[in-house]
Amino acid sequence: MPAFSAKVRTAAAALPLVVAYDVALRPWMSTWGSTPEERREPLPGDDVVDAVMTHCTKAVTIEAPPERVWPWLIQIGDRRAGFYSHDWIERFVFPGTVHYVERTRSATRIHPELQDVHVGDQIDTGSIGRMRFGNPVTVLEPDRALVIGTWAFVLRRLPGDRTRLLVRERDGGYLRPMVPRRFGLARAALGVVDYVVGDPLHFLMERRMMLGLKERSERRRDEVPLDAAPA
């Protein structure tokens, strides 16, 4: 009984934290930088059908026109330019699965050989040998929209040669989809892990990726390449 009572007290102490995460932190993460109007409006890729748990839209303003942002965006991916995020976290959390064209870091320059992308091409988030983890390009509108599976990157031109980058996800979870639907309990347990661990980690990485795109796109063409220090 004492052990049971301790578990009850622990659960009771953790409940306010879970409520705070669900009510305040998680909604902020899922809508970071975006306006209510941007969250409601239709975007390229909205018609891509897939099993989803949540829809969320994030945004950031880039002080450069879409044609400067696009070459950086179109080359993202594993065995490509990387994701301009926290490279050291990717290497630590997913050892041996993440590869960059510039070896240990996300790209610091435009790579012409990575610019030729078409609808149906697979963009991977990681790979182990011949095993690849990723999705095909479902929407490709140069200087405007790249949708990988249901993961949408939309560039909107703003006055003053600026760009509004909108990133919309139609998320089905990270671990949960790996388990067949007939294993309901296992899927539910992995859904909890996705919710508590996967979502914050994904937000951390995606936010940094958006800022990485912003930093690279805002550089003048005559500037020295970005610092090679880990992002």
Side-chain angles (χ1 to χ4, degrees):
M1 282 300 176
F4 178 76
S5 299
K7 291 179 180 179
V8 171
R9 287 195 298 271
T10 300
L15 184 59
L17 296 177
V18 174
V19 171
Y21 169 71
D22 191 65
V23 172
L25 183 59
R26 194 166 186 273
W28 173 77
M29 292 191 305
S30 65
T31 59
W32 179 78
S34 64
T35 66
E37 293 75 18
E38 288 170 335
R39 297 166 209 156
R40 289 193 298 265
E41 68 179 294
L43 295 178
D46 282 353
D47 57 345
V48 178
V49 178
D50 198 0
V52 298
M53 293 172 64
T54 58
H55 293 200
C56 58
T57 304
K58 304 178 183 71
V60 68
T61 298
I62 300 175
E63 301 296 325
E67 55 268 22
R68 287 253 302 275
V69 183
W70 182 257
W72 292 103
L73 174 61
I74 199 65
Q75 66 181 16
I76 64 172
D78 178 60
R79 301 190 186 278
R80 295 172 56 78
F83 291 94
Y84 316 130
S85 189
H86 298 287
D87 295 335
W88 68 273
I89 293 181
E90 290 185 339
R91 294 194 302 268
F92 178 76
V93 178
F94 310 106
T97 67
V98 182
H99 316 84
Y100 314 108
V101 68
E102 295 182 15
R103 301 176 68 87
T104 61
R105 67 186 184 194
S106 291
T108 57
R109 65 179 180 85
I110 301 299
H111 288 263
E113 72 276 14
L114 301 178
Q115 298 294 302
D116 188 24
V117 176
H118 305 275
V119 171
D121 291 351
Q122 180 161 316
I123 303 295
D124 296 328
T125 54
S127 61
I128 303 176
R130 295 184 179 180
M131 186 181 300
R132 302 166 61 188
F133 312 100
N135 287 290
V137 173
T138 49
V139 177
L140 183 69
E141 300 176 16
D143 297 336
R144 181 170 180 262
L146 170 67
V147 184
I148 304 169
T150 59
W151 193 16
F153 299 83
V154 178
L155 306 180
R156 175 169 299 143
R157 188 180 299 275
L158 297 177
D161 277 341
R162 298 180 302 150
T163 300
R164 187 69 167 165
L165 168 63
L166 303 175
V167 178
R168 176 168 292 175
E169 297 169 272
R170 304 154 189 90
D171 177 36
Y174 314 102
L175 299 176
R176 178 174 169 271
M178 297 180 183
V179 178
R181 292 182 180 276
R182 65 179 181 274
F183 299 112
L185 185 60
R187 283 173 63 88
L190 291 177
V192 172
V193 176
D194 284 339
Y195 182 80
V196 177
V197 179
D199 283 351
L201 179 60
H202 181 71
F203 168 74
L204 177 71
M205 301 301 291
E206 186 172 62
R207 176 182 178 276
R208 182 58 202 153
M209 176 185 68
M210 294 171 68
L211 294 176
L213 270 169
K214 173 181 169 69
E215 293 166 3
R216 286 163 171 79
S217 302
E218 290 178 351
R219 286 168 45 212
R220 297 194 312 272
R221 296 182 187 278
D222 59 345
E223 284 183 335
V224 176
L226 292 168
D227 192 336

